[in-house]
Amino acid sequence: MSLKESNIDNYIPKIPKIIDCRIEKTLNVIGGKWSFYVIRELFDGIKRFGELQRQINGVSPKALTDTLRHLEVQGVLEREAFATVPVTVQYKLTPKGEDLHQILIEMKLWAAKWA
Amino acid sequence: MSLKESNIDNYIPKIPKIIDCRIEKTLNVIGGKWSFYVIRELFDGIKRFGELQRQINGVSPKALTDTLRHLEVQGVLEREAFATVPVTVQYKLTPKGEDLHQILIEMKLWAAKWA
């Protein structure tokens, strides 16, 4: 899929000059708790809807659909549909989404120490 | 307040031998989105309920009460009550809670780059 111009912000990060207190911005982009699990699964590479549903324990199809749509709108992931029968839909992280990796790594480190 | 024996796990981290994929554990301890804001406020130091409510935009008293209770049960913060009139209640992070700092720093860095 070619890179649409409107998506360029999901590929090229800003150079931060001032680190302010805007964890709000990150939390709004991520959305709810399912997003963390979707993002974690997609660090492994491109996945289809069914794969994500199997790998994320307890997520309903509706919650997964809503989460994927939210993350797509936020530019964290991209949805690709192929005209197979039945249609194949797969999801992959944008660079903006890939860059959430360090947050999840810190969550794992914390769990290893305290949970 | 003296350190109760039952709270010792909130003061002494484990030495992680294996870093596994348990972001679930961290997310369960943190709970919902308000927790991130409470934790951020308490990085500045001990705070009272009213201070937290003023500083966390849009949180209701019920949501703040539930969040503080959840984080107390999880050992992320400690509640101290003083027999003043009216009673004074304040909250502070445990070392287990302080150690969530790096996760929030990574959220700020990501926001500075992408949001």
Side-chain angles (χ1 to χ4, degrees):
Chain A
M1 193 170 65
S2 69
L3 178 57
K4 290 177 228 149
E5 264 193 49
S6 62
N7 285 343
I8 196 76
D9 287 347
N10 304 331
Y11 280 77
I12 302 179
K14 294 185 283 183
I15 313 287
K17 286 182 183 144
I18 300 163
I19 310 295
D20 63 12
C21 290
R22 307 291 176 80
I23 63 165
E24 283 88 344
K25 286 186 179 176
T26 303
L27 289 170
N28 289 341
V29 169
I30 292 173
K33 73 163 181 171
W34 294 119
S35 295
F36 286 100
Y37 302 129
V38 167
I39 292 161
R40 180 184 62 189
E41 292 306 324
L42 292 181
F43 284 135
D44 293 340
I46 293 169
K47 291 200 177 165
R48 298 186 191 174
F49 187 92
E51 289 177 281
L52 290 170
Q53 209 193 338
R54 275 195 302 281
Q55 287 159 357
I56 301 171
N57 209 6
V59 73
S60 71
K62 164 128 178 46
L64 184 54
T65 302
D66 291 349
T67 300
L68 289 166
R69 181 77 192 124
H70 172 84
L71 293 174
E72 188 189 356
V73 170
Q74 295 292 335
V76 168
L77 57 77
E78 283 172 346
R79 179 181 183 276
E80 292 182 291
F82 300 94
T84 53
V85 181
V87 67
T88 304
V89 182
Q90 60 188 29
Y91 300 88
K92 67 170 181 180
L93 292 176
T94 61
K96 183 176 177 177
E98 294 278 0
D99 212 22
L100 291 164
H101 208 174
Q102 201 56 41
I103 297 171
L104 273 76
I105 286 176
E106 292 297 336
M107 287 187 170
K108 288 184 194 183
L109 284 170
W110 188 90
K113 282 172 74 181
W114 294 103
Chain B
M1 192 169 69
S2 70
L3 179 59
K4 291 179 226 147
E5 265 195 47
S6 61
N7 285 345
I8 197 76
D9 287 347
N10 305 332
Y11 279 78
I12 302 179
K14 294 185 282 184
I15 311 288
K17 286 183 182 142
I18 300 163
I19 309 294
D20 63 12
C21 290
R22 306 291 176 79
I23 62 165
E24 283 88 344
K25 285 186 180 174
T26 303
L27 290 170
N28 289 341
V29 169
I30 293 174
K33 72 164 180 170
W34 295 119
S35 295
F36 286 100
Y37 301 128
V38 167
I39 293 161
R40 180 186 60 188
E41 293 306 325
L42 292 180
F43 283 135
D44 293 339
I46 293 169
K47 292 200 177 167
R48 298 187 190 173
F49 187 91
E51 289 177 283
L52 290 169
Q53 209 193 337
R54 273 193 303 280
Q55 286 159 358
I56 301 172
N57 207 6
V59 74
S60 70
K62 161 127 179 48
L64 184 54
T65 302
D66 291 350
T67 300
L68 289 165
R69 180 77 191 125
H70 171 84
L71 293 174
E72 187 188 357
V73 169
Q74 295 292 333
V76 168
L77 58 77
E78 283 172 346
R79 180 181 183 277
E80 292 181 290
F82 300 93
T84 52
V85 181
V87 66
T88 304
V89 181
Q90 60 187 31
Y91 299 89
K92 67 171 181 179
L93 293 176
T94 62
K96 183 176 177 177
E98 294 278 0
D99 212 21
L100 292 163
H101 209 174
Q102 200 57 40
I103 297 170
L104 273 75
I105 286 176
E106 291 297 335
M107 286 187 171
K108 287 185 194 183
L109 284 171
W110 188 91
K113 281 173 74 180
W114 295 102

